[in-house]
Amino acid sequence: MTHSNTSELIRLGTLEIQATQYEEKPFSTPGTSSNSERKWISFDFVITGRQEYHDVTTLLYHPTVEVQVPERQLQFQAAVHNYFTSVPRLENENDTVDVHLELVETMPNA
């Protein structure tokens, strides 16, 4: 398991996110063999303004997303495993929303 409190660049599709509280570990579905382990990552980030909020939430509604973590040389297709946000009160473009996101690598041909 890898855990980092420092800022980490993560690319979700074409979006670049400066993430904090990065964590990475193997993930397997109960009852499957250990050779079917996939990557699981979680991290926190901040969204600023309505447009960025719209861009991120639209991306999260896709079934899968291309994930890149350049500093860790990771690249894989992932599905959203879990996410939550602070209450979005985006009355102006400087308002922020805190996001926690967990992604799991998809199985080949999934």
Side-chain angles (χ1 to χ4, degrees):
M1 178 176 0
T2 303
H3 186 82
S4 173
N5 291 326
T6 61
S7 181
E8 190 89 39
L9 172 66
I10 298 177
R11 291 187 185 106
L12 301 178
T14 59
L15 293 177
E16 290 194 349
I17 294 171
Q18 285 300 320
T20 60
Q21 302 302 315
Y22 177 88
E23 187 176 351
E24 172 188 326
K25 64 183 179 182
F27 178 89
S28 60
T29 306
T32 60
S33 65
S34 62
N35 63 354
S36 65
E37 279 189 351
R38 299 174 277 160
K39 295 171 187 65
W40 175 93
I41 63 171
S42 80
F43 52 92
D44 298 337
F45 61 100
V46 176
I47 297 172
T48 304
R50 285 188 196 124
Q51 185 59 48
E52 189 175 334
Y53 181 79
H54 172 77
D55 293 346
V56 170
T57 55
T58 299
L59 181 74
L60 296 180
Y61 282 110
H62 289 215
T64 62
V65 62
E66 179 70 23
V67 177
Q68 294 179 17
V69 186
E71 288 185 29
R72 300 185 185 278
Q73 300 171 342
L74 285 179
Q75 182 172 348
F76 58 95
Q77 279 293 121
V80 174
H81 185 258
N82 189 21
Y83 82 95
F84 53 87
T85 68
S86 60
V87 177
R89 292 195 178 118
L90 299 171
E91 296 170 5
N92 66 59
E93 284 304 310
N94 293 323
D95 290 341
T96 62
V97 177
D98 298 322
V99 179
H100 173 81
L101 180 59
E102 298 175 14
L103 300 168
V104 175
E105 181 179 23
T106 57
M107 297 292 286
N109 302 320

